[in-house]
Amino acid sequence: MTFSNRTLKNKTSQTQRIIPIIQRKSQSKLIPFQGTIDYKNIVLLRKFITAEGKILPRRINGLTAKQQRYMAKAIKNARMIGLLPFINKSQPSQ
């Protein structure tokens, strides 16, 4: 009996995992992206980068895979031309 109790304890401890909570937009509220993705449209591109200047992942911003590729390419082009910064300089360096 003690052996069976040990296996039950091990199984229950293995099934209880800590899952990180990520804020996502719900699938029902996502509106399909309408418009043209262009490197010159800085107002649009700023919506898809973080405060640090990182490109937001697809699971958070709700774009399709094709739109995410175009968005990443447009952000990178805007950075190379100088329309967008590579990093946010207002953040204190640590």
Side-chain angles (χ1 to χ4, degrees), residues 54-82:
K54 296 179 182 180
I55 300 172
L56 284 174
R58 199 179 137 228
R59 68 176 185 272
I60 294 176
N61 62 25
L63 295 176
T64 64
K66 190 174 192 179
Q67 290 170 339
Q68 180 70 16
R69 284 194 302 270
Y70 288 143
M71 187 63 66
K73 191 70 171 173
I75 290 171
K76 291 173 186 178
N77 286 343
R79 285 177 177 165
M80 291 303 291
I81 291 175

Side-chain angles (χ1 to χ4, degrees), residues 2-88:
T2 56
F3 180 73
S4 64
N5 287 340
R6 272 194 239 151
T7 57
L8 288 176
K9 287 181 182 178
N10 288 339
K11 286 182 181 178
T12 56
S13 65
Q14 289 175 355
T15 57
Q16 295 175 349
R17 298 184 329 203
I18 298 172
I19 301 171
I21 298 172
I22 300 172
Q23 285 186 331
R24 298 186 214 184
K25 296 179 180 177
S26 65
Q27 295 294 332
S28 62
K29 293 182 181 179
L30 286 179
I31 300 169
F33 177 75
Q34 299 289 327
T36 305
I37 300 172
D38 191 22
Y39 69 94
K40 294 175 275 188
N41 191 352
I42 302 304
V43 176
L44 175 70
L45 296 180
R46 284 192 188 272
K47 293 179 184 177
F48 294 98
I49 59 174
T50 62
E52 296 89 23
K54 296 179 182 180
I55 300 172
L56 284 174
R58 199 179 137 228
R59 68 176 185 272
I60 294 176
N61 62 25
L63 295 176
T64 64
K66 190 174 192 179
Q67 290 170 339
Q68 180 70 16
R69 284 194 302 270
Y70 288 143
M71 187 63 66
K73 191 70 171 173
I75 290 171
K76 291 173 186 178
N77 286 343
R79 285 177 177 165
M80 291 303 291
I81 291 175
L83 300 175
L84 281 178
F86 281 94
I87 57 170
N88 189 358

